[in-house]
Amino acid sequence: MINVCCRAIAQLRACRPIPEPQVRELCYKAREILIEEGNVVSVHAPVTICGDIHGQFHDLMELFRVGGDVPDTNYLFMGDFVDRGFYSLESFLLLLCLKVRYPDRITLIRGNHESRQITTVYGFYDECIRKYGSANVWRYCCEVFDYLALGALVLGATTDVPPAASDNENTQSTLPPEDEEVESEVLNANGDILSKTLRRRFAGLSMMSHHTNSSRISPAPDVDVPSPPDHPASSLPLQSSPSSQSLFTPPTSTTGAVLCVHGGLSPLIETVDKIRLIDRKQEVPHEGAMCDLLWSDPDEIEGWGLSPRGAGFLFGADIVRHFNHNNDLSLVARAHQLVMEGYKEMFDKTIVTVWSAPNYCYRCGNVAAILELGEDGSNGGCIARANGDQGRREPVGTDGSEGGSGVLWNLASPGRRYRVFEAAPQGTRGMPAKKPVGEYFL
Amino acid sequence: MPGFPTLQRIGDVKTHRFEEPVKKIYDGSDVTFFLTSLAYRDIMTFMLQLNRSVVPRKQDVDGTARVVTWPLKSKDVAYSDSVERLRALLTRLSKLVDDVPLDTGPRRFGNVSFRKWHQLVEDQRDNLLNECLPEWLAPAYPELASYLLGSFGSAQRLDYGTGHELSFLAFLGGLWKLGFFPEADAGVEERGIVLGVFEQYLSLIRKLIVTYTLEPAGSHGVWGLDDNSFLPYVFGAAQLAPAITESDDTPTEGSLPGAPEPSWVSKSNLVEKEKDKNMYFSAIAFIYDIKKGPFWEHSPVLYDISGINGGWGKINKGMIKMFNAEVLSKFPVVQHFLFGSLFRWEKDAEARPPPPTTHATSQPLRTPTAASPSTTRPGEAPWAGTPSQPPLGFVNGVTQAPWASRGPAPPPPRSGYAAAQRRTLPPLTENWSKHEQNRPTERK
């Protein structure tokens, strides 16, 4: 299978569809792997989080060029692989092949477009018919869609901005002066830093008194949970680190987990554990928790609101703040909405939209982004389960600078590196033969 | 003169009872009814009437046959006073765009200033109509205005698509029915409408799209004909069809001698050359303006059509069929159409069941998995399969749920999650529920 897979990967990387029997086999194999995953996949940092692709194959190649190739870089794709673009088929099958070949290196979760009904409307169905002359391949793909996870939980991310690939040799040189801590930075496709934000400093960084709840996130069934550390992780020097970082790496703080979903939150889901109870192996329903996770959008409102999309809901800052607090999350990462800058942090950095389809639909003029989260090496490589009394906390709330009503002390957000990139140059994409047109013109 | 059907005028406007147009289409079965309604008949009749008017004509001038064509800006098309009034209206609307500065604040995509422009038009509605329409039409303003205001895209969603274009066609059709356009020989007024009014409307739309970065409504991405428009492809193909006499049928194949080749659409320099003469190329030129990338990749449907051998007559015929199937028969497009006294939500007694054509059977069914060759039951009209189409989603650059058809539902409670009462969604159609039962069984 590995050989077959490698050949298919090579062919798909060249943007050539693989034959129907191979698609069938690939989809079967992919389902075997996906069925073992929980509704919420646990992913360990470091990981690179990506948003909508929408069949923009050449831009997906650009994404891999900018973010590093699989399996060297861990990836988490938040759905909407298909529809609208010309190469939904090649894009999705390539990602699926990579999933089969490197199941631990790439995580695929479901977007609202990974659905039979949506793909018959927004292009993927037409594309399969056009490229294969029958709906078989479309059908195989839809069967895979039903098995995709609904979300992912990134654990063990550091508060530091992750070391850039190019500075691996010399991590220290990128460190900011002692009294400044970079919270996020934005790099262009060449790795040049475009901007940085510094972490706000607070008196009493490890506010624990506020928070005595124990974790409400139970272990994912598909992951071994290390026993909780018996000492706070935040300021202990490294004993021995299995990671490649040197002993001189300064201590970092553990952050809350990062929940990744395609759309957003649901009024029916108050804890991450609730997501695990969904029977996900079905077509995306028109309503309910599963639908909301794939369809909702954050908005500048209070509480919940109606979505103009007709599915899912709008949710405001208060909803995210409480959800993160209750679940020991520091961040929700989602996709689902075009943003001109490629990413958009909202609600006091409690939620971020990541969009990975540059110049969307060939016309929107937007850049794309991916989000890199680094690995927290401070805890001897153990994944610190959020347990309510470790990790640094920062206030998130109405004004954020001091405590008071309306402010929650949430776990520190992870250091975030955004890499933004533009649409791939057109290069030498050959012009295909004209295909027979639909029956309107017979 | 053989009777090529034209849109009937209303006998006496003075005694006519106008109605505020209302929404009638709420689900797929309403689309089925719509396709046999008086409103549908009138829209199709008017569209075909306009289409036929711009097909080149063989005319007999002093015993010598000569072919007259109707390119854009043709000197042979004299605009009536009515046409000029509408052109003035569109010019006014276009000037208003210059008066609304762009919002420089943060935005996702569409510029919220479009809402200001739209509001401005709404506020000045009666003034604008007063200035541009004769006084005797005043009783018709509310009805006409709802079609006019529905023509410029959605202020809420900041998008524009074929549903809005359809609304403008209805605005013109309504004016026709009211006798706003003078009686003239077949095609004369219609040509003024297509070349003088409709093309200017398209210019305004293009300006709105570019200025406020309006998003494609209901975008199928690369798999639709065009992100925003449909009718310029119909009328533009007609302009290049072979010449006919007034008694000939509208051509269904062949091209006007010397017409640009359909294959020219993929060469931007040739498109540039033709765009000022022809509506089809003008629409293609706009695609080149707003899209970056290989033409065959971002516009594969138009690219495929450019390989057709049967000439512009054949393309015109195909475009009409496609307009009928992809615009008038599509729930997400026509669900926003409003019905009143001019376009009546009433069964057309003479409506023939549409022939079991092509588009009814060639499109993906709501759930193609569940598609069987014989979805039609005995006694059921052959076109019954058409509206079993998945209702397409209206889009705001974002995807909208195709099943989102009913009015707004009550929001969930502000506080608390779990007890949230969910809204009722439209009943699932048969195909859909069938599919639900047919869920993959590999779970075991």
Side-chain angles (χ1 to χ4, degrees), chain B residues 103-121:
Chain B
D103 188 285
T104 50
R107 62 198 182 98
R108 253 185 4 88
F109 187 67
N111 195 296
V112 290
S113 283
F114 176 65
R115 294 193 180 128
K116 288 188 199 144
W117 178 85
H118 212 275
Q119 192 59 49
L120 217 57
V121 177

mmCIF file with all atom_site columns, all heavy atoms in Angstrom, chain B residues 103-121:
data_model
loop_
_atom_site.group_PDB
_atom_site.id
_atom_site.type_symbol
_atom_site.label_atom_id
_atom_site.label_alt_id
_atom_site.label_comp_id
_atom_site.label_asym_id
_atom_site.label_entity_id
_atom_site.label_seq_id
_atom_site.pdbx_PDB_ins_code
_atom_site.Cartn_x
_atom_site.Cartn_y
_atom_site.Cartn_z
_atom_site.occupancy
_atom_site.B_iso_or_equiv
_atom_site.pdbx_formal_charge
_atom_site.auth_seq_id
_atom_site.auth_comp_id
_atom_site.auth_asym_id
_atom_site.auth_atom_id
_atom_site.pdbx_PDB_model_num
ATOM 1   N N   . ASP B 1 103 ? -15.917 52.948 2.720  1.00 0.00 ? 103 ASP B N   1
ATOM 2   C CA  . ASP B 1 103 ? -15.615 52.794 4.135  1.00 0.00 ? 103 ASP B CA  1
ATOM 3   C C   . ASP B 1 103 ? -14.189 52.269 4.255  1.00 0.00 ? 103 ASP B C   1
ATOM 4   O O   . ASP B 1 103 ? -13.812 51.311 3.598  1.00 0.00 ? 103 ASP B O   1
ATOM 5   C CB  . ASP B 1 103 ? -16.602 51.786 4.737  1.00 0.00 ? 103 ASP B CB  1
ATOM 6   C CG  . ASP B 1 103 ? -16.479 51.715 6.237  1.00 0.00 ? 103 ASP B CG  1
ATOM 7   O OD1 . ASP B 1 103 ? -15.508 51.125 6.734  1.00 0.00 ? 103 ASP B OD1 1
ATOM 8   O OD2 . ASP B 1 103 ? -17.363 52.266 6.900  1.00 0.00 ? 103 ASP B OD2 1
ATOM 9   N N   . THR B 1 104 ? -13.416 52.947 5.085  1.00 0.00 ? 104 THR B N   1
ATOM 10  C CA  . THR B 1 104 ? -12.012 52.538 5.180  1.00 0.00 ? 104 THR B CA  1
ATOM 11  C C   . THR B 1 104 ? -11.749 51.656 6.394  1.00 0.00 ? 104 THR B C   1
ATOM 12  O O   . THR B 1 104 ? -10.628 51.240 6.627  1.00 0.00 ? 104 THR B O   1
ATOM 13  C CB  . THR B 1 104 ? -11.100 53.777 5.264  1.00 0.00 ? 104 THR B CB  1
ATOM 14  O OG1 . THR B 1 104 ? -11.619 54.624 6.280  1.00 0.00 ? 104 THR B OG1 1
ATOM 15  C CG2 . THR B 1 104 ? -11.077 54.519 3.953  1.00 0.00 ? 104 THR B CG2 1
ATOM 16  N N   . GLY B 1 105 ? -12.778 51.416 7.162  1.00 0.00 ? 105 GLY B N   1
ATOM 17  C CA  . GLY B 1 105 ? -12.615 50.596 8.359  1.00 0.00 ? 105 GLY B CA  1
ATOM 18  C C   . GLY B 1 105 ? -12.340 49.139 8.024  1.00 0.00 ? 105 GLY B C   1
ATOM 19  O O   . GLY B 1 105 ? -12.303 48.763 6.858  1.00 0.00 ? 105 GLY B O   1
ATOM 20  N N   . PRO B 1 106 ? -12.147 48.340 9.075  1.00 0.00 ? 106 PRO B N   1
ATOM 21  C CA  . PRO B 1 106 ? -11.858 46.927 8.834  1.00 0.00 ? 106 PRO B CA  1
ATOM 22  C C   . PRO B 1 106 ? -13.051 46.254 8.176  1.00 0.00 ? 106 PRO B C   1
ATOM 23  O O   . PRO B 1 106 ? -14.198 46.611 8.431  1.00 0.00 ? 106 PRO B O   1
ATOM 24  C CB  . PRO B 1 106 ? -11.634 46.370 10.249 1.00 0.00 ? 106 PRO B CB  1
ATOM 25  C CG  . PRO B 1 106 ? -12.334 47.329 11.165 1.00 0.00 ? 106 PRO B CG  1
ATOM 26  C CD  . PRO B 1 106 ? -12.271 48.662 10.497 1.00 0.00 ? 106 PRO B CD  1
ATOM 27  N N   . ARG B 1 107 ? -12.789 45.339 7.307  1.00 0.00 ? 107 ARG B N   1
ATOM 28  C CA  . ARG B 1 107 ? -13.889 44.648 6.649  1.00 0.00 ? 107 ARG B CA  1
ATOM 29  C C   . ARG B 1 107 ? -13.425 43.264 6.264  1.00 0.00 ? 107 ARG B C   1
ATOM 30  O O   . ARG B 1 107 ? -12.225 42.996 6.212  1.00 0.00 ? 107 ARG B O   1
ATOM 31  C CB  . ARG B 1 107 ? -14.325 45.408 5.394  1.00 0.00 ? 107 ARG B CB  1
ATOM 32  C CG  . ARG B 1 107 ? -13.230 45.501 4.353  1.00 0.00 ? 107 ARG B CG  1
ATOM 33  C CD  . ARG B 1 107 ? -13.534 46.595 3.366  1.00 0.00 ? 107 ARG B CD  1
ATOM 34  N NE  . ARG B 1 107 ? -12.499 46.652 2.348  1.00 0.00 ? 107 ARG B NE  1
ATOM 35  C CZ  . ARG B 1 107 ? -12.592 46.100 1.163  1.00 0.00 ? 107 ARG B CZ  1
ATOM 36  N NH1 . ARG B 1 107 ? -13.663 45.415 0.835  1.00 0.00 ? 107 ARG B NH1 1
ATOM 37  N NH2 . ARG B 1 107 ? -11.619 46.196 0.287  1.00 0.00 ? 107 ARG B NH2 1
ATOM 38  N N   . ARG B 1 108 ? -14.380 42.414 6.051  1.00 0.00 ? 108 ARG B N   1
ATOM 39  C CA  . ARG B 1 108 ? -14.025 41.073 5.596  1.00 0.00 ? 108 ARG B CA  1
ATOM 40  C C   . ARG B 1 108 ? -13.829 41.074 4.092  1.00 0.00 ? 108 ARG B C   1
ATOM 41  O O   . ARG B 1 108 ? -12.820 40.718 3.585  1.00 0.00 ? 108 ARG B O   1
ATOM 42  C CB  . ARG B 1 108 ? -15.094 40.078 6.008  1.00 0.00 ? 108 ARG B CB  1
ATOM 43  C CG  . ARG B 1 108 ? -14.625 39.205 7.136  1.00 0.00 ? 108 ARG B CG  1
ATOM 44  C CD  . ARG B 1 108 ? -15.579 38.113 7.524  1.00 0.00 ? 108 ARG B CD  1
ATOM 45  N NE  . ARG B 1 108 ? -16.768 37.977 6.730  1.00 0.00 ? 108 ARG B NE  1
ATOM 46  C CZ  . ARG B 1 108 ? -16.838 37.238 5.627  1.00 0.00 ? 108 ARG B CZ  1
ATOM 47  N NH1 . ARG B 1 108 ? -15.787 36.565 5.229  1.00 0.00 ? 108 ARG B NH1 1
ATOM 48  N NH2 . ARG B 1 108 ? -17.953 37.162 4.948  1.00 0.00 ? 108 ARG B NH2 1
ATOM 49  N N   . PHE B 1 109 ? -14.840 41.486 3.377  1.00 0.00 ? 109 PHE B N   1
ATOM 50  C CA  . PHE B 1 109 ? -14.661 41.563 1.935  1.00 0.00 ? 109 PHE B CA  1
ATOM 51  C C   . PHE B 1 109 ? -15.492 42.685 1.329  1.00 0.00 ? 109 PHE B C   1
ATOM 52  O O   . PHE B 1 109 ? -14.966 43.715 0.961  1.00 0.00 ? 109 PHE B O   1
ATOM 53  C CB  . PHE B 1 109 ? -14.948 40.221 1.255  1.00 0.00 ? 109 PHE B CB  1
ATOM 54  C CG  . PHE B 1 109 ? -14.601 40.249 -0.196 1.00 0.00 ? 109 PHE B CG  1
ATOM 55  C CD1 . PHE B 1 109 ? -13.279 40.368 -0.582 1.00 0.00 ? 109 PHE B CD1 1
ATOM 56  C CD2 . PHE B 1 109 ? -15.584 40.202 -1.162 1.00 0.00 ? 109 PHE B CD2 1
ATOM 57  C CE1 . PHE B 1 109 ? -12.936 40.437 -1.918 1.00 0.00 ? 109 PHE B CE1 1
ATOM 58  C CE2 . PHE B 1 109 ? -15.254 40.261 -2.504 1.00 0.00 ? 109 PHE B CE2 1
ATOM 59  C CZ  . PHE B 1 109 ? -13.929 40.379 -2.874 1.00 0.00 ? 109 PHE B CZ  1
ATOM 60  N N   . GLY B 1 110 ? -16.777 42.489 1.264  1.00 0.00 ? 110 GLY B N   1
ATOM 61  C CA  . GLY B 1 110 ? -17.627 43.518 0.678  1.00 0.00 ? 110 GLY B CA  1
ATOM 62  C C   . GLY B 1 110 ? -17.555 44.808 1.479  1.00 0.00 ? 110 GLY B C   1
ATOM 63  O O   . GLY B 1 110 ? -17.435 44.781 2.690  1.00 0.00 ? 110 GLY B O   1
ATOM 64  N N   . ASN B 1 111 ? -17.608 45.944 0.788  1.00 0.00 ? 111 ASN B N   1
ATOM 65  C CA  . ASN B 1 111 ? -17.501 47.222 1.491  1.00 0.00 ? 111 ASN B CA  1
ATOM 66  C C   . ASN B 1 111 ? -18.880 47.673 1.975  1.00 0.00 ? 111 ASN B C   1
ATOM 67  O O   . ASN B 1 111 ? -19.822 47.782 1.194  1.00 0.00 ? 111 ASN B O   1
ATOM 68  C CB  . ASN B 1 111 ? -16.893 48.275 0.556  1.00 0.00 ? 111 ASN B CB  1
ATOM 69  C CG  . ASN B 1 111 ? -16.435 49.490 1.315  1.00 0.00 ? 111 ASN B CG  1
ATOM 70  O OD1 . ASN B 1 111 ? -17.244 50.203 1.912  1.00 0.00 ? 111 ASN B OD1 1
ATOM 71  N ND2 . ASN B 1 111 ? -15.132 49.716 1.325  1.00 0.00 ? 111 ASN B ND2 1
ATOM 72  N N   . VAL B 1 112 ? -18.949 47.942 3.284  1.00 0.00 ? 112 VAL B N   1
ATOM 73  C CA  . VAL B 1 112 ? -20.244 48.268 3.885  1.00 0.00 ? 112 VAL B CA  1
ATOM 74  C C   . VAL B 1 112 ? -20.838 49.572 3.352  1.00 0.00 ? 112 VAL B C   1
ATOM 75  O O   . VAL B 1 112 ? -22.025 49.839 3.540  1.00 0.00 ? 112 VAL B O   1
ATOM 76  C CB  . VAL B 1 112 ? -20.164 48.329 5.425  1.00 0.00 ? 112 VAL B CB  1
ATOM 77  C CG1 . VAL B 1 112 ? -19.954 46.942 6.000  1.00 0.00 ? 112 VAL B CG1 1
ATOM 78  C CG2 . VAL B 1 112 ? -19.064 49.265 5.870  1.00 0.00 ? 112 VAL B CG2 1
ATOM 79  N N   . SER B 1 113 ? -20.034 50.372 2.670  1.00 0.00 ? 113 SER B N   1
ATOM 80  C CA  . SER B 1 113 ? -20.570 51.596 2.078  1.00 0.00 ? 113 SER B CA  1
ATOM 81  C C   . SER B 1 113 ? -21.645 51.304 1.043  1.00 0.00 ? 113 SER B C   1
ATOM 82  O O   . SER B 1 113 ? -22.461 52.165 0.725  1.00 0.00 ? 113 SER B O   1
ATOM 83  C CB  . SER B 1 113 ? -19.456 52.396 1.401  1.00 0.00 ? 113 SER B CB  1
ATOM 84  O OG  . SER B 1 113 ? -18.709 53.040 2.372  1.00 0.00 ? 113 SER B OG  1
ATOM 85  N N   . PHE B 1 114 ? -21.624 50.078 0.523  1.00 0.00 ? 114 PHE B N   1
ATOM 86  C CA  . PHE B 1 114 ? -22.679 49.713 -0.421 1.00 0.00 ? 114 PHE B CA  1
ATOM 87  C C   . PHE B 1 114 ? -24.047 49.882 0.232  1.00 0.00 ? 114 PHE B C   1
ATOM 88  O O   . PHE B 1 114 ? -25.013 50.262 -0.419 1.00 0.00 ? 114 PHE B O   1
ATOM 89  C CB  . PHE B 1 114 ? -22.485 48.266 -0.896 1.00 0.00 ? 114 PHE B CB  1
ATOM 90  C CG  . PHE B 1 114 ? -23.586 47.782 -1.796 1.00 0.00 ? 114 PHE B CG  1
ATOM 91  C CD1 . PHE B 1 114 ? -23.772 48.361 -3.040 1.00 0.00 ? 114 PHE B CD1 1
ATOM 92  C CD2 . PHE B 1 114 ? -24.437 46.757 -1.404 1.00 0.00 ? 114 PHE B CD2 1
ATOM 93  C CE1 . PHE B 1 114 ? -24.785 47.921 -3.883 1.00 0.00 ? 114 PHE B CE1 1
ATOM 94  C CE2 . PHE B 1 114 ? -25.457 46.314 -2.239 1.00 0.00 ? 114 PHE B CE2 1
ATOM 95  C CZ  . PHE B 1 114 ? -25.630 46.894 -3.474 1.00 0.00 ? 114 PHE B CZ  1
ATOM 96  N N   . ARG B 1 115 ? -24.100 49.609 1.531  1.00 0.00 ? 115 ARG B N   1
ATOM 97  C CA  . ARG B 1 115 ? -25.377 49.761 2.249  1.00 0.00 ? 115 ARG B CA  1
ATOM 98  C C   . ARG B 1 115 ? -25.828 51.218 2.226  1.00 0.00 ? 115 ARG B C   1
ATOM 99  O O   . ARG B 1 115 ? -27.020 51.495 2.112  1.00 0.00 ? 115 ARG B O   1
ATOM 100 C CB  . ARG B 1 115 ? -25.232 49.285 3.690  1.00 0.00 ? 115 ARG B CB  1
ATOM 101 C CG  . ARG B 1 115 ? -24.973 47.804 3.753  1.00 0.00 ? 115 ARG B CG  1
ATOM 102 C CD  . ARG B 1 115 ? -25.121 47.224 5.140  1.00 0.00 ? 115 ARG B CD  1
ATOM 103 N NE  . ARG B 1 115 ? -24.837 45.797 5.031  1.00 0.00 ? 115 ARG B NE  1
ATOM 104 C CZ  . ARG B 1 115 ? -23.966 45.132 5.798  1.00 0.00 ? 115 ARG B CZ  1
ATOM 105 N NH1 . ARG B 1 115 ? -23.333 45.757 6.765  1.00 0.00 ? 115 ARG B NH1 1
ATOM 106 N NH2 . ARG B 1 115 ? -23.742 43.845 5.608  1.00 0.00 ? 115 ARG B NH2 1
ATOM 107 N N   . LYS B 1 116 ? -24.862 52.133 2.326  1.00 0.00 ? 116 LYS B N   1
ATOM 108 C CA  . LYS B 1 116 ? -25.216 53.553 2.289  1.00 0.00 ? 116 LYS B CA  1
ATOM 109 C C   . LYS B 1 116 ? -25.778 53.918 0.924  1.00 0.00 ? 116 LYS B C   1
ATOM 110 O O   . LYS B 1 116 ? -26.758 54.637 0.810  1.00 0.00 ? 116 LYS B O   1
ATOM 111 C CB  . LYS B 1 116 ? -23.991 54.425 2.590  1.00 0.00 ? 116 LYS B CB  1
ATOM 112 C CG  . LYS B 1 116 ? -23.568 54.362 4.032  1.00 0.00 ? 116 LYS B CG  1
ATOM 113 C CD  . LYS B 1 116 ? -22.466 55.399 4.309  1.00 0.00 ? 116 LYS B CD  1
ATOM 114 C CE  . LYS B 1 116 ? -21.715 55.041 5.577  1.00 0.00 ? 116 LYS B CE  1
ATOM 115 N NZ  . LYS B 1 116 ? -20.291 55.346 5.493  1.00 0.00 ? 116 LYS B NZ  1
ATOM 116 N N   . TRP B 1 117 ? -25.119 53.424 -0.107 1.00 0.00 ? 117 TRP B N   1
ATOM 117 C CA  . TRP B 1 117 ? -25.598 53.701 -1.455 1.00 0.00 ? 117 TRP B CA  1
ATOM 118 C C   . TRP B 1 117 ? -27.015 53.171 -1.616 1.00 0.00 ? 117 TRP B C   1
ATOM 119 O O   . TRP B 1 117 ? -27.906 53.851 -2.118 1.00 0.00 ? 117 TRP B O   1
ATOM 120 C CB  . TRP B 1 117 ? -24.669 53.071 -2.502 1.00 0.00 ? 117 TRP B CB  1
ATOM 121 C CG  . TRP B 1 117 ? -25.148 53.283 -3.910 1.00 0.00 ? 117 TRP B CG  1
ATOM 122 C CD1 . TRP B 1 117 ? -24.919 54.363 -4.695 1.00 0.00 ? 117 TRP B CD1 1
ATOM 123 C CD2 . TRP B 1 117 ? -25.974 52.388 -4.683 1.00 0.00 ? 117 TRP B CD2 1
ATOM 124 N NE1 . TRP B 1 117 ? -25.537 54.212 -5.918 1.00 0.00 ? 117 TRP B NE1 1
ATOM 125 C CE2 . TRP B 1 117 ? -26.186 53.010 -5.928 1.00 0.00 ? 117 TRP B CE2 1
ATOM 126 C CE3 . TRP B 1 117 ? -26.538 51.141 -4.442 1.00 0.00 ? 117 TRP B CE3 1
ATOM 127 C CZ2 . TRP B 1 117 ? -26.945 52.416 -6.938 1.00 0.00 ? 117 TRP B CZ2 1
ATOM 128 C CZ3 . TRP B 1 117 ? -27.300 50.537 -5.444 1.00 0.00 ? 117 TRP B CZ3 1
ATOM 129 C CH2 . TRP B 1 117 ? -27.494 51.185 -6.673 1.00 0.00 ? 117 TRP B CH2 1
ATOM 130 N N   . HIS B 1 118 ? -27.202 51.935 -1.167 1.00 0.00 ? 118 HIS B N   1
ATOM 131 C CA  . HIS B 1 118 ? -28.500 51.292 -1.312 1.00 0.00 ? 118 HIS B CA  1
ATOM 132 C C   . HIS B 1 118 ? -29.578 52.078 -0.549 1.00 0.00 ? 118 HIS B C   1
ATOM 133 O O   . HIS B 1 118 ? -30.683 52.278 -1.052 1.00 0.00 ? 118 HIS B O   1
ATOM 134 C CB  . HIS B 1 118 ? -28.411 49.853 -0.793 1.00 0.00 ? 118 HIS B CB  1
ATOM 135 C CG  . HIS B 1 118 ? -29.310 48.904 -1.515 1.00 0.00 ? 118 HIS B CG  1
ATOM 136 N ND1 . HIS B 1 118 ? -30.626 48.744 -1.175 1.00 0.00 ? 118 HIS B ND1 1
ATOM 137 C CD2 . HIS B 1 118 ? -29.091 48.079 -2.567 1.00 0.00 ? 118 HIS B CD2 1
ATOM 138 C CE1 . HIS B 1 118 ? -31.186 47.854 -1.987 1.00 0.00 ? 118 HIS B CE1 1
ATOM 139 N NE2 . HIS B 1 118 ? -30.276 47.437 -2.850 1.00 0.00 ? 118 HIS B NE2 1
ATOM 140 N N   . GLN B 1 119 ? -29.215 52.528 0.626  1.00 0.00 ? 119 GLN B N   1
ATOM 141 C CA  . GLN B 1 119 ? -30.147 53.291 1.447  1.00 0.00 ? 119 GLN B CA  1
ATOM 142 C C   . GLN B 1 119 ? -30.506 54.614 0.767  1.00 0.00 ? 119 GLN B C   1
ATOM 143 O O   . GLN B 1 119 ? -31.656 55.034 0.733  1.00 0.00 ? 119 GLN B O   1
ATOM 144 C CB  . GLN B 1 119 ? -29.533 53.554 2.832  1.00 0.00 ? 119 GLN B CB  1
ATOM 145 C CG  . GLN B 1 119 ? -30.515 54.095 3.856  1.00 0.00 ? 119 GLN B CG  1
ATOM 146 C CD  . GLN B 1 119 ? -31.699 53.139 4.072  1.00 0.00 ? 119 GLN B CD  1
ATOM 147 O OE1 . GLN B 1 119 ? -31.494 51.944 4.271  1.00 0.00 ? 119 GLN B OE1 1
ATOM 148 N NE2 . GLN B 1 119 ? -32.919 53.662 3.993  1.00 0.00 ? 119 GLN B NE2 1
ATOM 149 N N   . LEU B 1 120 ? -29.481 55.217 0.198  1.00 0.00 ? 120 LEU B N   1
ATOM 150 C CA  . LEU B 1 120 ? -29.676 56.473 -0.522 1.00 0.00 ? 120 LEU B CA  1
ATOM 151 C C   . LEU B 1 120 ? -30.688 56.294 -1.657 1.00 0.00 ? 120 LEU B C   1
ATOM 152 O O   . LEU B 1 120 ? -31.600 57.103 -1.843 1.00 0.00 ? 120 LEU B O   1
ATOM 153 C CB  . LEU B 1 120 ? -28.322 56.918 -1.096 1.00 0.00 ? 120 LEU B CB  1
ATOM 154 C CG  . LEU B 1 120 ? -27.978 58.385 -1.131 1.00 0.00 ? 120 LEU B CG  1
ATOM 155 C CD1 . LEU B 1 120 ? -28.050 58.992 0.255  1.00 0.00 ? 120 LEU B CD1 1
ATOM 156 C CD2 . LEU B 1 120 ? -26.565 58.575 -1.703 1.00 0.00 ? 120 LEU B CD2 1
ATOM 157 N N   . VAL B 1 121 ? -30.522 55.210 -2.394 1.00 0.00 ? 121 VAL B N   1
ATOM 158 C CA  . VAL B 1 121 ? -31.443 54.926 -3.497 1.00 0.00 ? 121 VAL B CA  1
ATOM 159 C C   . VAL B 1 121 ? -32.842 54.706 -2.954 1.00 0.00 ? 121 VAL B C   1
ATOM 160 O O   . VAL B 1 121 ? -33.833 55.211 -3.500 1.00 0.00 ? 121 VAL B O   1
ATOM 161 C CB  . VAL B 1 121 ? -30.967 53.697 -4.302 1.00 0.00 ? 121 VAL B CB  1
ATOM 162 C CG1 . VAL B 1 121 ? -31.968 53.364 -5.404 1.00 0.00 ? 121 VAL B CG1 1
ATOM 163 C CG2 . VAL B 1 121 ? -29.583 53.945 -4.903 1.00 0.00 ? 121 VAL B CG2 1
#
